[in-house]
Amino acid sequence: MSWGTELWDQFDNLEKHTQWGIDFLERYSKFVKERLDIEQNYAKQLRNLVKKYCPKRSKDEEPRFTSCLSFYSLLSELNDYAGQREVVAEEMGNRVYGELMRYSQDLKGERKHHLQEGRKAQQYLDQCWKQMENSKRKFERECREAEKAQLTYDRLDNDINATKSEVEKAKAQLYLRTHTADESKNEYAAQLQSFNSEQWKHFNNAIPHIFKNLQDMDERRTVKLGETYRSFAEAERRVIPIVSKCLDGMVSAAKAVDERRDSAIVVESFKSGFEPPGDFPFEDFSQNLSRTGSDGTISNTPKGDKERERDGGPGLRTDNKHAMSRTKNKLWLFGKKPKAPSLEDFSHLPPEQRRKKLQQKLDELNRELQKETDQRDALNKMKDVYEKNPQMGDPSSLQPKLSETNCNIQRLRSEIHKNESWLSEVEGKQSSRGDRRLSTDNHHHTPHGRESPEGSYTDDTNQEHHTPLRRPNPSQPGLPNHDPHEFDDEFDDDDPLPVIGHCKALYSFDGKDEGTLVMAENEVLYIIEEDKGDGWTRARKQNGEEGYIPTSYVEITIERHGKVPPVDQRVAAFLPSLTKPHRPVMSDYISHQPPGLTFQPQLHLHKMFVPCNQLCL
């Protein structure tokens, strides 16, 4: 059906209908806009939700439990799902809403053009009709005037009293009116024919063409609505495969939860490395009571204690009290574990945890060292290229960066050396503590280890070395008799390294990093450990201070024949380790030697003078 033929007389209704169609199109555009706003807000809220529950810590500090990792995977999949909702909103915004808004503007312009053409055609037809009506009224008016002239002529012609001139005048007037009426008639006939022709063209050509254009415009609007309906659905359908993958990822994350793995991680995370406490020994408080009974009197003293008393041992009274107090303080199984300050060497942690932390730190430092080394190699290669081809760049411009990289490498090597020392220390103590545990279990003794006052284990070796040791009087009852070589065993780890050479400082070094040694230009130092290939040499000053210095900063002379440094150098090396404010000279040490010790220069000085360190100098 064609609007031009069927609705030729419904111009006003078609104008209203086309306006309604554009209004409906804009209403649907508003609906799409609100829908994509909902999608954007939904995606934004999902992302905020994921961000809220994502861990705020670094990856190294994140829990490794499968339940936590699965939850984080679920959050990641939900974040991807939120991204797909954003894709839906973007598709609706570009392919639907944006297209509708552009088409609506074009539709309004086209409708306005067609309506203007229809109004112009109608105005032209109205103009033709007015011309025809004017000619018709003129013809009618001239005919009435001609009739009046005819009546006047007939009356004068029949009147005997009328003069001949009056009759001739009336006749001429009749002839004029009749001629004018004939001309009006011809003009009216022409205007009528023209109007009929224009009216036929209007209702058979112009109006059908204009209405057909309006019909095509309205049909295209309907087609566009159908296409946008489809695009509206396709925007959702395109993301369904990815959304399905996100949901599958959530299901896979749920299946990845492993309770056995989580339990093993708990053990790995919180294992302290301590051995469980042993049996408490029996404390016999009746040892000093006088016995009046026979030899067969039953004694409450355990057999093992009697045997130790017969062997001349002092008993377990004093040691048991310390062991019980230490073990009792250590039993914080269901209590609150005492807090310890965080230290650089992680000595505040239990052995197993300390070993793990040190290993992690070593791995991190090695990665940083490798990165700095690669950067140094790249800079050196670039410097060689610049030196061979000066037009490519200035080699001296790379020197500041090279110096900074070398300093970073030296600092990292120093840190690695320190952490390797701490790691070897804790691994050695764990193995030795295991041996002591086996020995103690065989004798049913409480394990003796270094413990902090709160009852937790400490690996801080400085605590041992700086704790004053009082030499007991063997004549006092109730105290154990110590082995005369006990002091030597206590200080075996503190032997000062022998001097193997000397060096002269070519440059000054500030020694800001821990474990390094400050030195001035042209200062002479003793070499106690050669460079291991890491660019650092261990040296000792005249005052006994030891530390690491850059190998490239000094001129080294190594004494390959094993020369022993003079006595005064060894004394100077030993003096800083004394805890007494008074530092005696060599004669003081010789004069205050305890009985049984003789001055032997070939012995290590700290072993030779340790007993003197216990005296009041």
Side-chain angles (χ1 to χ4, degrees):
M1 292 184 179
S2 174
W3 288 6
T5 56
E6 302 293 336
L7 302 175
W8 61 271
D9 59 344
Q10 300 297 320
F11 181 84
D12 294 339
N13 288 331
L14 290 179
E15 181 180 8
K16 293 179 181 178
H17 172 74
T18 52
Q19 182 62 44
W20 172 87
I22 293 176
D23 293 340
F24 182 80
L25 181 70
E26 291 181 344
R27 184 183 179 188
Y28 175 65
S29 301
K30 185 178 179 181
F31 162 77
V32 175
K33 179 65 168 60
E34 293 182 359
R35 170 64 192 279
L36 68 89
D37 288 342
I38 291 175
E39 290 290 344
Q40 288 177 345
N41 292 331
Y42 179 51
K44 183 179 180 180
Q45 291 178 0
L46 284 179
R47 289 195 182 277
N48 291 337
L49 181 66
V50 171
K51 183 178 179 181
K52 179 180 178 181
Y53 285 93
C54 274
K56 302 298 188 297
R57 297 170 293 184
S58 62
K59 291 184 178 181
D60 296 335
E61 297 178 353
E62 288 182 9
R64 297 170 294 146
F65 300 108
T66 57
S67 56
C68 295
L69 296 178
S70 297
F71 176 63
Y72 298 152
S73 299
L74 186 144
L75 290 178
S76 177
E77 297 293 344
L78 187 60
N79 190 57
D80 294 341
Y81 177 81
Q84 297 308 309
R85 305 319 306 177
E86 291 176 346
V87 171
V88 171
E90 185 178 359
E91 289 285 329
M92 288 183 178
N94 295 334
R95 295 175 175 263
V96 183
Y97 178 72
E99 187 68 22
L100 285 174
M101 294 303 296
R102 289 189 295 270
Y103 186 75
S104 175
Q105 296 299 324
D106 297 340
L107 205 62
K108 288 179 181 180
E110 184 179 358
R111 175 181 175 274
K112 182 179 179 180
H113 173 72
H114 294 324
L115 292 179
Q116 285 178 350
E117 286 185 346
R119 289 190 180 94
K120 287 181 180 180
Q122 189 64 40
Q123 288 175 0
Y124 179 73
L125 183 63
D126 291 344
Q127 185 179 359
C128 292
W129 181 81
K130 287 180 181 180
Q131 291 176 357
M132 185 269 297
E133 282 293 321
N134 290 334
S135 63
K136 178 181 178 181
R137 284 194 296 269
K138 182 179 179 182
F139 174 60
E140 183 181 3
R141 185 173 61 253
E142 292 297 332
C143 286
R144 284 196 300 268
E145 293 293 331
E147 287 177 358
K148 289 180 181 180
Q150 181 69 37
L151 290 174
T152 301
Y153 173 74
D154 289 342
R155 182 177 58 79
L156 291 175
D157 187 39
N158 293 328
D159 188 1
I160 57 175
N161 296 322
T163 62
K164 185 177 180 180
S165 60
E166 290 177 348
V167 173
E168 289 294 329
K169 185 178 180 180
K171 184 177 179 181
Q173 187 67 27
L174 175 62
Y175 176 77
L176 179 62
R177 293 296 179 185
T178 302
H179 180 72
T180 302
D182 290 341
E183 289 181 354
S184 298
K185 179 180 179 181
N186 293 333
E187 182 180 357
Y188 168 65
Q191 290 294 335
L192 180 62
Q193 185 179 1
S194 175
F195 172 76
N196 289 333
S197 176
E198 293 298 332
Q199 181 177 255
W200 187 89
K201 291 179 182 179
H202 178 79
F203 290 108
N204 289 276
N205 292 331
I207 291 299
H209 178 70
I210 294 171
F211 283 9
K212 184 178 183 303
N213 290 337
L214 288 174
Q215 181 180 2
D216 292 342
M217 180 195 72
D218 193 72
E219 288 177 353
R220 288 198 309 271
R221 176 190 62 83
T222 305
V223 171
K224 176 61 70 174
L225 283 172
E227 291 176 355
T228 53
Y229 293 162
R230 188 180 299 108
S231 299
F232 185 85
E234 289 294 332
E236 186 85 21
R237 178 178 292 177
R238 286 191 187 96
V239 302
I240 287 179
I242 303 178
V243 170
S244 299
K245 290 183 179 179
C246 294
L247 298 177
D248 293 341
M250 295 181 186
V251 174
S252 300
K255 293 180 179 179
V257 176
D258 186 355
E259 68 279 4
R260 297 292 184 182
R261 172 65 178 163
D262 286 358
S263 298
I265 292 175
V266 173
V267 174
E268 181 182 354
S269 300
F270 302 112
K271 182 180 178 181
S272 65
F274 292 131
E275 296 291 342
D279 297 336
F280 283 92
F282 177 79
E283 299 186 49
D284 189 1
F285 299 100
S286 62
Q287 289 180 354
N288 296 328
L289 297 179
S290 60
R291 299 295 181 179
T292 57
S294 62
D295 294 338
T297 303
I298 298 176
S299 173
N300 292 328
T301 304
K303 182 178 180 181
D305 292 348
K306 289 183 178 181
E307 292 177 355
R308 280 190 290 274
E309 291 176 3
R310 286 197 301 269
D311 295 338
L316 295 175
R317 183 171 184 178
T318 304
D319 291 340
N320 288 342
K321 287 184 178 181
H322 291 293
M324 290 179 64
S325 62
R326 288 196 300 265
T327 309
K328 192 179 297 182
N329 290 331
K330 194 174 179 179
L331 295 178
W332 32 258
L333 299 177
F334 300 99
K336 188 174 182 181
K337 183 177 179 180
K339 295 183 179 179
S342 180
L343 301 176
E344 182 185 6
D345 60 350
F346 304 107
S347 59
H348 61 287
L349 297 176
E352 183 65 22
Q353 300 301 320
R354 183 188 182 195
R355 183 190 63 79
K356 289 171 55 180
K357 287 290 185 182
L358 289 173
Q359 188 61 52
Q360 293 175 1
K361 190 172 181 181
L362 272 174
D363 295 341
E364 181 180 353
L365 290 172
N366 284 322
R367 287 193 296 268
E368 293 181 7
L369 179 61
Q370 183 62 38
K371 186 187 299 183
E372 293 291 338
T373 304
D374 294 342
Q375 183 176 358
R376 182 193 62 185
D377 296 341
L379 289 172
N380 286 328
K381 290 180 181 179
M382 188 180 298
K383 184 177 180 181
D384 294 339
V385 172
Y386 286 175
E387 289 175 350
K388 294 178 181 178
N389 302 290
Q391 65 274 12
M392 298 184 65
D394 184 11
S396 61
S397 63
L398 301 176
Q399 190 59 39
K401 189 63 178 177
L402 269 172
S403 301
E404 180 184 354
T405 304
N406 288 328
C407 290
N408 291 337
I409 291 175
Q410 292 176 0
R411 175 182 57 81
L412 290 172
R413 284 174 175 172
S414 176
E415 291 290 330
I416 290 173
H417 185 272
K418 287 192 301 183
N419 284 272
E420 285 177 345
S421 300
W422 292 332
L423 182 62
S424 60
E425 175 188 353
V426 70
E427 287 177 347
K429 288 181 179 178
Q430 281 183 324
S431 60
S432 64
R433 188 170 60 254
D435 297 338
R436 288 200 305 270
R437 175 62 184 170
L438 292 174
S439 174
T440 308
D441 288 342
N442 292 334
H443 293 84
H444 303 284
H445 281 173
T446 302
H448 298 283
R450 291 193 307 275
E451 299 176 6
S452 64
E454 294 83 358
S456 61
Y457 190 87
T458 174
D459 284 325
D460 191 356
T461 56
N462 295 329
Q463 237 178 1
E464 275 190 347
H465 298 319
H466 295 127
T467 303
L469 298 175
R470 300 185 179 274
R471 186 176 181 86
N473 188 351
S475 62
Q476 293 181 358
L479 294 177
N481 291 325
H482 292 279
D483 191 339
H485 299 288
E486 181 182 7
F487 291 106
D488 294 347
D489 296 336
E490 284 291 324
F491 286 86
D492 277 345
D493 295 336
D494 289 338
D495 292 347
L497 296 175
V499 176
I500 60 175
H502 64 276
C503 66
K504 180 181 179 181
L506 302 176
Y507 313 99
S508 60
F509 181 65
D510 53 7
K512 293 181 179 179
D513 297 330
E514 184 178 353
T516 58
L517 190 64
V518 180
M519 66 178 180
E521 187 177 355
N522 296 324
E523 184 179 358
V524 178
L525 299 92
Y526 297 110
I527 303 299
I528 58 176
E529 186 178 329
E530 291 188 72
D531 189 350
K532 301 296 185 182
D534 55 1
W536 293 91
T537 301
R538 191 172 180 181
R540 180 186 300 143
K541 284 190 170 186
Q542 296 289 343
N543 60 2
E545 185 180 358
E546 296 181 3
Y548 287 90
I549 57 175
T551 306
S552 58
Y553 280 41
V554 294
E555 181 181 355
I556 300 176
T557 302
I558 301 297
E559 300 174 2
R560 298 298 181 183
H561 301 290
K563 295 181 180 179
V564 180
V567 176
D568 58 344
Q569 293 182 7
R570 291 184 291 161
V571 173
F574 173 67
L575 288 178
S577 64
L578 295 177
T579 58
K580 297 292 183 179
H582 169 66
R583 298 182 177 179
V585 296
M586 180 65 68
S587 59
D588 294 331
Y589 286 104
I590 298 174
S591 60
H592 289 85
Q593 291 185 67
L597 289 181
T598 59
F599 179 70
Q600 298 179 357
Q602 68 272 19
L603 294 177
H604 292 297
L605 287 180
H606 79 286
K607 288 186 178 181
M608 184 176 68
F609 298 127
V610 160
C612 300
N613 193 25
Q614 311 306 320
L615 301 177
C616 297
L617 299 178

